[in-house]
Amino acid sequence: PEAYRRLREEQRGSYAGVGMTIRAWGDETVIEYQFPGTPAFKAGIRPGDIVVRIDGHPAETLTVDEVAQHVRGPEGTTVQLTVQRPVVDEFIEVTLVLESIPRPSVPLAFTFNDQVGYLRVATFNENTPDEFDEQLEKLESEGITGLILDLRDNQGGLLSAGIHVADRFL
């Protein structure tokens, strides 16, 4: 059930959480990135911070997946994080309210050299067709004569979304 719930979150393109990515570093859980405008960002969480406690419980006994489960959940619930910043002696404690965190499938689109468009498609989810069409129309209105479609590190997703993107070129 948990794996299915995560799959559906990915397919919908949003989830309720604090808005950060984490990674295992040895036996510690380290914050890799916080998304702008999210609860983690607003609270001053920074890349490199180490998760020490979650709701008062030691994080060292949890896997990265278990830490991720604790910082996701129903919108409006709270989680208390204690983090250690490598350059600060004392721990930093923050209480975060879980919010809906959008995960755009087309996170980057721009024009360079006034003629070549660049579109990054990070995943194929329920929002990809609309996001892709919107960004492509924007680039076309800027008069692009070529396009770079960046699919690097795209691990797939919904077949229907992939077909929609491919259909724009076939």
Side-chain angles (χ1 to χ4, degrees), residues 6-65:
R6 284 194 309 254
L7 172 68
R8 286 298 298 144
E9 284 177 353
E10 290 296 321
Q11 290 174 339
R12 280 192 295 270
S14 69
Y15 67 95
V18 299
M20 63 185 189
T21 59
I22 56 176
R23 172 172 299 223
W25 188 264
D27 60 350
E28 298 175 324
T29 299
V30 177
I31 293 157
E32 185 175 50
Y33 180 77
Q34 78 286 17
F35 302 108
T38 62
F41 185 88
K42 293 173 193 172
I45 299 292
R46 296 183 187 165
D49 287 350
I50 301 164
V51 179
V52 178
R53 285 190 293 278
I54 300 173
D55 290 328
H57 302 290
E60 64 190 18
T61 61
L62 303 172
T63 67
V64 172
D65 287 338

